[in-house]
DNA sequence: ATAAAGTGCGCAACCGATTGCATATTTAAG
DNA sequence: CTTAAATATGCAATCGGTTGCGCACTTTAT
């Protein structure tokens, strides 16, 4: 019932007839404090239900043991999973994390950094918003000596360590796979934004076509926001072409799902008529019919690695300032029914005979 | 390059030949400070790139403007979405949120509360872990006067405000709907845990059957962890019965998806042979074939309401201590193909004729 | 013209833990 | 038995804002 007992080290000190300094040292296991004192302090602390005030310690030490995470949104499977990975590592090192969502809004991203800086976080791990093209707010915090590590949505305009997956390789593998499955007119859904991940996926698509002697057809590359509805619209656009594609590689799983709906609604078969592949390995991809071929980004691992990289820099201190380091994770092609054109066609033939 | 300029109000005061008190007041728009002084202070603050130190203010005020959120896991769609809702409201009121995951682990939940208390969060919003049956750690924080609000996974053992959805009603609606669709042997997947949400869903199932004159058959209630694999196993068990069910209501969407896979693998049709319904409206439920009928929990709304309730109590202060208040949200039945038995059967008949 | 009210700002304590330096008490060394 | 070294603890400043109280000066009312 009593609202606030608020036990401090001074209370403990008083009852034990010693000073707060001694209590502080006893609680921190300082070597110059006798075992007897330590024990009695710790015992009393427990019985008084003493709760250390990290705020006071933080003020004195200039260290809060909190790191800030900025993501476009925390409720997308990919980011949620990365956050989980970061939190796991941070917790092990006795750090807590503050999550902030930018909603892909530039102004909110700027405000968020300000808020985190005022909260005196020890560092920031961020994934840049889609609409961010000016990075001064990040530069400002770097000038203040706050460690920063970027993941997934990164930029080369900042001198900073980053963790990302090899989007180029992932895309290349997908397209190569589609070609092996017999696809020859392969469309691609991409984003108009200047986000590197999408540019890299597009590059992988283009190169895989070229390396396999398939001509690049601009009409087959459709730009959109890559959500479900966009995928539907893009697919409708493609089906209206004189020569419709026999496969689609969408830079997002959502886009691919939209395409799948439209393909089926038009009485076409996946993968026989149109093979499909997405990117991201969202949980729902394994539940569609057929299940969607996609690229796994190892989001949990990415979170862990990002956090480890962060703490590596962090411990090195702002002086020794490690050289920014770019970690590129290899993505994995997850082959499922939606792209297995060859096998599906073969099976169809067998059925007929 | 310079690591830490670290501008404080004292620096500003010095350059302006005034005191820190005045600077502080000027920055906080105190009425007793002249407009002229305010302007010059604000101007210099900006040009010096002054960053207020919330830690210092927090120490003095005993208020950090940070609230802690404890969830079993942040990477499940439901929780991620609730978090997003909470953060949205909190941000508007100039609060930040610290996220901690208990992983449904009792010890970690206890530690987490300790860590949040040491971080001096102004309050905690939590969803209790599956394995938590002792609530002393929550009681301890309540004794310290830290506001607490629970959502979804709640308990009546604590005198605390809570927000949840009407699981009973949701389940009742689902089962009623299945009956209307012609189902008569309706199975139910539930959890062996003593978590209220699952008990409530079971209760809704039982009552809906009773109210519609359908006998309750224990053999049709299968307990498991409700994940995809569990759903598969449970469905296999049901199909092995002499009299197999003609519908399944799973207390989780994952379980329902597993069931759908098994039903189809056995050459049976959804919903004609076995109608299916889940609970939660996970994103993937709209992508299966047929799409899964389920219950929407309005997770984003739940987050917002929980946060609003929290701040209501918070502002009332620890003295006036509002009466704990239980907010129950009405869930919504989301009817999709997997349960439309009547229509599917009718369509089949029409095709034959 | 003088008291009362209003305005603008400084002084100094405070929040709670940390830590360099000083002091007092033992213990070990010579 | 004296001195140096080790041990145990205290003192007081510090981190950076915040705020009650007080002082000086200006404006308004009587």
């Amino acid at each position: 019932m009593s609202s606030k007992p608020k036990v401090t080290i001074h209370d403990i000190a008083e009852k034990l007839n010693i000073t707060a300094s001694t209590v502080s040292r006893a609680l921190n296991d300082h070597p110059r404090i006798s075992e007897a004192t330590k024990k009695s302090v710790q015992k009393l602390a427990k019985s008084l239900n003493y709760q250390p005030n990290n705020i006071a310690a933080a003020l004195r030490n200039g260290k809060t043991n909190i790191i800030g995470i900025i993501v476009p949104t925390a409720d997308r499977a990919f980011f949620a999973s990365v956050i989980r990975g970061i939190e796991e590592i941070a917790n092990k090192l006795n750090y807590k994390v503050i999550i902030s969502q930018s909603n892909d809004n530039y102004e909110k991203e700027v405000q968020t950094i300000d808020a985190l800086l005022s909260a005196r976080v020890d560092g920031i791990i961020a994934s840049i918003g889609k609409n961010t093209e000016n990075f001064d707010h990040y530069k400002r915090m770097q000038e203040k000596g706050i460690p920063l590590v970027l993941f997934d949505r990164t930029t080369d305009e900042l001198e900073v360590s980053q963790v990302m997956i090899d989007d180029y390789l992932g895309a290349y593998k997908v397209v190569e796979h589609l070609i092996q499955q017999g696809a020859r007119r392969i469309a691609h859904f991409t984003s108009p934004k200047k986000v590197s991940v999408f540019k890299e996926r597009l590059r992988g698509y283009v190169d895989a076509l070229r390396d396999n002697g398939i001509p690049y057809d601009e009409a087959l590359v459709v730009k959109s926001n890559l959500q479900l509805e966009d995928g539907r619209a893009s697919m409708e656009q493609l089906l209206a072409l004189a020569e419709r594609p026999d496969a689609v590689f969408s830079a997002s799983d959502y886009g691919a799902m939209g395409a799948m709906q439209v393909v089926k609604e038009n009485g076409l078969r996946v993968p026989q008529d149109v093979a499909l592949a997405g990117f991201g390995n969202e949980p729902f991809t394994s539940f569609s019919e057929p299940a969607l071929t996609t690229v796994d980004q190892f989001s949990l691992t990415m979170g862990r690695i990002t956090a480890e990289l962060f703490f590596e820099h962090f411990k090195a201190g702002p002086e020794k300032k490690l050289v920014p380091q770019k970690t590129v994770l290899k993505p994995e092609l997850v082959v499922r029914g939606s792209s297995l054109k060859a096998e599906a066609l073969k099976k169809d033939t067998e059925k007929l005979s």
Side-chain angles (χ1 to χ4, degrees), chain A:
Chain A
M1 289 303 113
S2 56
S3 308
K4 285 157 195 171
K6 278 207 185 188
V7 183
T8 74
I9 54 172
H10 295 93
D11 301 326
I12 298 180
E14 199 173 2
K15 304 207 183 196
L16 253 35
N17 273 322
I18 54 180
T19 61
S21 332
T22 305
V23 174
S24 171
R25 292 192 176 102
L27 291 172
N28 289 312
D29 205 35
H30 191 286
R32 293 289 262 279
I33 299 295
S34 71
E35 283 306 316
T37 312
K38 282 183 189 171
K39 287 221 172 106
S40 61
V41 167
Q42 279 152 8
K43 193 177 159 192
L44 184 59
K46 243 157 241 162
S47 81
L48 251 43
N49 200 9
Y50 166 72
Q51 194 87 42
N53 185 332
N54 286 351
I55 296 297
L59 178 58
R60 167 69 211 227
N61 301 329
K63 207 167 155 311
T64 53
N65 272 42
I66 296 179
I67 63 180
I69 301 183
I70 303 176
V71 289
T73 160
D75 67 352
R76 267 205 20 224
F78 172 74
F79 290 115
S81 198
V82 173
I83 289 172
R84 190 188 165 105
I86 294 175
E87 209 233 356
E88 190 183 306
I89 301 297
N91 274 198
K92 273 188 196 153
L93 297 171
N94 198 26
Y95 274 75
K96 287 171 292 310
V97 303
I98 288 189
I99 313 275
S100 293
Q101 316 185 57
S102 68
N103 296 327
D104 278 320
N105 176 327
Y106 172 71
E107 276 77 26
K108 212 197 160 196
E109 190 174 287
V110 175
Q111 285 168 18
T112 290
I113 290 194
D114 233 55
L116 290 177
L117 255 39
S118 287
R120 287 307 199 256
V121 294
D122 290 339
I124 291 182
I125 293 178
S127 195
I128 298 172
K130 255 184 204 164
N131 304 306
T132 302
E133 299 187 345
N134 175 311
F135 303 95
D136 289 348
H137 47 311
Y138 286 107
K139 284 182 189 155
R140 250 179 282 138
M141 54 165 289
Q142 287 192 297
E143 279 164 15
K144 293 197 178 182
I146 312 291
L148 170 69
V149 173
L150 298 177
F151 72 89
D152 194 52
R153 307 257 204 93
T154 67
T155 176
D156 283 330
E157 292 198 27
L158 293 171
E159 268 204 37
V160 68
S161 279
Q162 30 190 285
V163 179
M164 44 203 194
I165 66 145
D166 193 334
D167 288 280
Y168 172 84
L169 178 64
Y172 193 99
K173 278 182 176 175
V174 169
V175 176
E176 195 173 43
H177 163 71
L178 290 171
I179 295 171
Q180 281 166 4
Q181 289 292 320
R184 287 297 172 270
R185 269 184 75 68
I186 303 174
H188 180 46
F189 292 173
T190 186
S191 163
K193 300 280 178 187
K194 288 183 188 172
V195 180
S196 67
V197 297
F198 298 122
K199 287 194 290 187
E200 284 299 290
R201 291 174 199 175
L202 174 59
R203 207 164 61 78
Y205 162 79
V206 171
D207 283 7
L209 289 183
R210 186 202 54 210
D211 293 354
N212 287 275
I214 297 184
Y216 171 80
D217 181 351
E218 202 174 352
L220 294 178
V221 174
V222 189
K223 291 181 183 178
S224 78
N225 205 25
L226 295 172
Q227 296 306 297
L228 184 80
E229 283 310 314
D230 305 304
R232 292 186 58 95
S234 301
M235 194 67 222
E236 272 159 9
Q237 181 183 327
L238 288 174
L239 289 183
L241 290 178
E243 243 187 314
R244 64 167 165 76
D246 55 7
V248 176
F249 162 45
S250 167
S252 107
D253 284 335
Y254 290 90
M257 289 306 305
M260 187 182 293
Q261 291 179 357
V262 169
V263 170
K264 290 201 260 182
E265 285 165 19
N266 279 272
L268 298 171
R269 295 159 306 164
V270 178
Q272 292 94 328
D273 298 313
V274 182
L276 292 175
F279 203 111
N281 200 16
E282 291 279 338
F284 60 75
T285 53
S286 56
F287 295 136
S288 63
E289 180 119 348
L292 186 68
T293 290
T294 184
V295 177
D296 192 280
Q297 305 184 82
F298 299 104
S299 42
L300 194 62
T301 306
M302 184 179 281
R304 293 193 187 119
I305 291 184
T306 305
E308 279 160 4
L309 188 58
F310 173 85
F311 284 110
E312 200 177 300
H313 279 259
F314 186 68
K315 280 176 189 161
E319 288 77 28
K320 297 167 205 165
K321 206 178 191 179
L322 297 190
V323 179
Q325 175 179 342
K326 199 184 274 193
T327 303
V328 180
L329 304 181
K330 296 276 168 256
E332 188 177 87
L333 180 65
V334 180
V335 176
R336 300 207 187 93
S338 74
S339 66
L340 294 174
K341 208 185 190 58
E343 281 135 76
L345 286 171
K346 193 175 163 199
K347 205 175 275 178
D348 287 356
T349 314
E350 281 167 2
K351 262 188 201 159
L352 288 181
S353 62

